[in-house]
Amino acid sequence: HVQLVESGGGSVRTGGSLNLSCAASGDTETTYYMAWFRQGPGKRREGVAAYSDDWSKIVDSVKGRFTISKDNGNNILYLGMNELTPEDTATYYCAARPRGLGSFNRWSVYDYNYWGQGTQVTVS
C-alpha cells in the first residue's frame, strides 16, 4: 500500500499561481501511475493531470496552464498551476494505481486504488 499526502493548496487571486505537492510513502518500491484530480463545489471529481515514467498528460481544459512532474528520488508528485481562475476552485486530490494491473482509463476515478485526503484551492 502507498499513502498519499497532498499539500500546497490555499487562496489566491485570479491570475495567480500555486504549486501542489503529493508525498508518497509506504510501498514506494512498486511503480505507480499517478494523477491529480479535482472536485469543485457541486461537481464530479475530474482528472486534470496524469503521470507515469513513460508519459505525462494534461487535460485540454487546463492545458497550457497546469503542469505535472515527479521527483522520483523523493517520491513527490507536483502539480504546477498558473493563470488560475475561479473555475479552478476545488479540492485537489492525488491518486495512484500500481502498474501491471492491465489497461485503464487514466481519467477515471474508479481506476485508481489509492487517494490522498485532498488540498483545497480557492481562487477569487
Side-chain angles (χ1 to χ4, degrees):
H1 295 279
V2 65
Q3 292 78 46
L4 305 172
V5 178
E6 303 95 334
S7 61
S11 296
V12 297
R13 297 286 192 182
T14 297
S17 299
L18 282 174
N19 290 299
L20 305 185
S21 300
C22 170
S25 61
D27 178 15
T28 55
E29 293 298 319
T30 300
T31 54
Y32 296 87
Y33 297 107
M34 299 188 74
W36 286 99
F37 285 74
R38 68 183 180 184
Q39 187 164 17
K43 298 181 180 180
R44 296 187 307 171
R45 193 171 297 189
E46 62 174 357
V48 295
Y51 183 94
S52 81
D53 290 339
D54 309 313
W55 46 259
S56 62
K57 303 290 184 182
I58 305 290
V59 293
D60 287 345
S61 60
V62 301
K63 193 170 291 183
R65 299 190 300 119
F66 287 18
T67 59
I68 188 170
S69 60
K70 189 169 183 283
D71 178 346
N72 286 316
N74 292 302
N75 295 307
I76 301 175
L77 183 73
Y78 297 101
L79 182 68
M81 305 186 296
N82 298 308
E83 299 175 35
L84 288 163
T85 74
E87 288 68 39
D88 297 314
T89 293
T91 302
Y92 284 72
Y93 298 92
C94 177
R97 171 191 173 91
R99 296 186 68 150
L101 297 183
S103 62
F104 76 110
N105 178 350
R106 64 173 67 94
W107 305 125
S108 172
V109 298
Y110 302 107
D111 285 358
Y112 288 87
N113 304 75
Y114 305 102
W115 292 85
Q117 82 290 348
T119 186
Q120 178 67 36
V121 171
T122 302
V123 186
S124 61

